[in-house]
Amino acid sequence: MEYIDGIPILKLGDEMAKRGINPGGKMAAAAKQNILKSLTLAYGQMILKSGFFHADPHPGNILICKGSEVALLDYGQVKDLPDQLRLGYANLVLAIADNDPVKAMESYRELGIGTVSNCGNEQQELLRLAQTMFDTKLPPGVAMLQPFSEDSSIKKIAVESFPEELFSILRTVHLLRGLSVGLGINFSCAEQWRPIAEEALYNAGRLKGANRKSRVRKPSSFRRFFWRN
């Protein structure tokens, strides 16, 4: 047990204002981007590299420490992914980052996600559904996703089976999306996680070096893991 001195992430704007920093200014925007990048990269490392991850990143469990370090609290919810699911999810991350509907469909099968199509363009809708479920990026002009709107992929693709372990990833991605919306930043965790997913597949012998599009960048400013009462 250790006391962590930091500011709850939802009070970041108030703290900036107290220090004379305009919460809507360029300096504040850069700080928020760095904080979100550090947090998201840490999750990419946990989920895709080790498969053992903190599964409850709601705002109350995130502190901003001195030097813009990010600390995660409360490991009451964790998940340990089997390698098959970890690598299957790495494939899905690449499909989303590359906007590749064929790879998305293959990843669904590998992960054991069973679907029934109610539309003609099944592959494209499967990719859209994957983006809705497993990416933080919002489409242009959309402030909040409406997953059950008439035009949504969930209305066109029925999900019949879904591995239990993936629910924790699904929840984690949606909490990260909520944080990004709260901070006023629209970004893709799949694009950010691409090098980590490539590294995981390469180390497992499932991706040739020539096919790797990027290299892993170590998360900066992410503090080690912490517990709390």
Side-chain angles (χ1 to χ4, degrees):
M1 304 293 274
E2 184 179 349
Y3 175 74
I4 308 304
D5 187 13
I7 304 160
I9 194 167
L10 289 182
K11 294 183 179 179
L12 185 60
D14 294 338
E15 186 64 24
M16 287 179 174
K18 280 198 293 184
R19 299 186 183 192
I21 300 172
N22 178 8
K26 291 183 179 180
M27 184 182 296
K32 291 175 184 178
Q33 285 178 338
N34 286 334
I35 288 166
L36 192 59
K37 177 183 175 181
S38 293
L39 179 64
T40 307
L41 281 177
Y43 265 96
Q45 292 280 349
M46 285 189 282
I47 293 171
L48 294 166
K49 190 172 183 178
S50 72
F52 185 73
F53 64 99
H54 178 292
D56 196 21
H58 67 74
N61 283 342
I62 302 168
L63 292 183
I64 311 304
C65 304
K66 187 177 181 180
S68 295
E69 287 187 333
V70 180
L72 280 177
L73 310 177
D74 191 358
Y75 277 65
Q77 291 187 49
V78 296
K79 185 60 66 175
D80 194 6
L81 288 178
D83 280 348
Q84 181 182 354
L85 283 180
R86 179 176 62 85
L87 296 173
Y89 183 64
N91 258 333
L92 185 59
V93 166
L94 294 185
I96 296 170
D98 294 337
N99 206 36
D100 187 337
V102 175
K103 187 179 285 186
M105 177 176 277
E106 293 171 353
S107 299
Y108 274 75
R109 288 198 294 266
E110 183 178 1
L111 288 167
I113 301 175
T115 61
V116 176
S117 173
N118 298 318
C119 61
N121 56 338
E122 180 181 7
Q123 286 187 348
Q124 198 60 42
E125 289 300 335
L126 281 171
L127 176 61
R128 284 185 61 201
L129 182 60
Q131 291 167 337
T132 300
M133 291 194 297
F134 294 112
D135 198 9
T136 53
K137 189 173 184 178
L138 295 173
V142 176
M144 180 179 296
L145 283 179
Q146 302 292 339
F148 297 104
S149 66
E150 288 304 316
D151 189 46
S152 71
S153 296
I154 200 71
K155 292 280 189 178
K156 302 172 185 177
I157 302 289
V159 178
E160 288 194 324
S161 58
F162 196 87
E164 179 185 351
E165 292 90 345
L166 289 183
F167 277 109
S168 293
I169 298 179
L170 179 68
R171 181 172 185 270
T172 296
V173 170
H174 281 245
L175 286 170
L176 290 173
R177 179 191 290 152
L179 282 172
S180 69
V181 170
L183 292 173
I185 300 169
N186 189 20
F187 82 109
S188 168
C189 69
E191 291 175 9
Q192 199 172 41
W193 290 349
R194 182 212 302 269
I196 308 171
E198 287 182 342
E199 183 187 43
L201 292 168
Y202 177 78
N203 289 340
R206 293 179 48 174
L207 185 69
K208 294 182 180 179
N211 294 329
R212 296 176 71 180
K213 298 181 181 179
S214 48
R215 292 292 181 268
V216 175
R217 284 176 290 179
K218 294 181 181 179
S220 59
S221 304
F222 183 78
R223 202 169 178 187
R224 62 192 185 278
F225 307 139
F226 298 108
W227 295 80
R228 73 172 183 186
N229 287 323

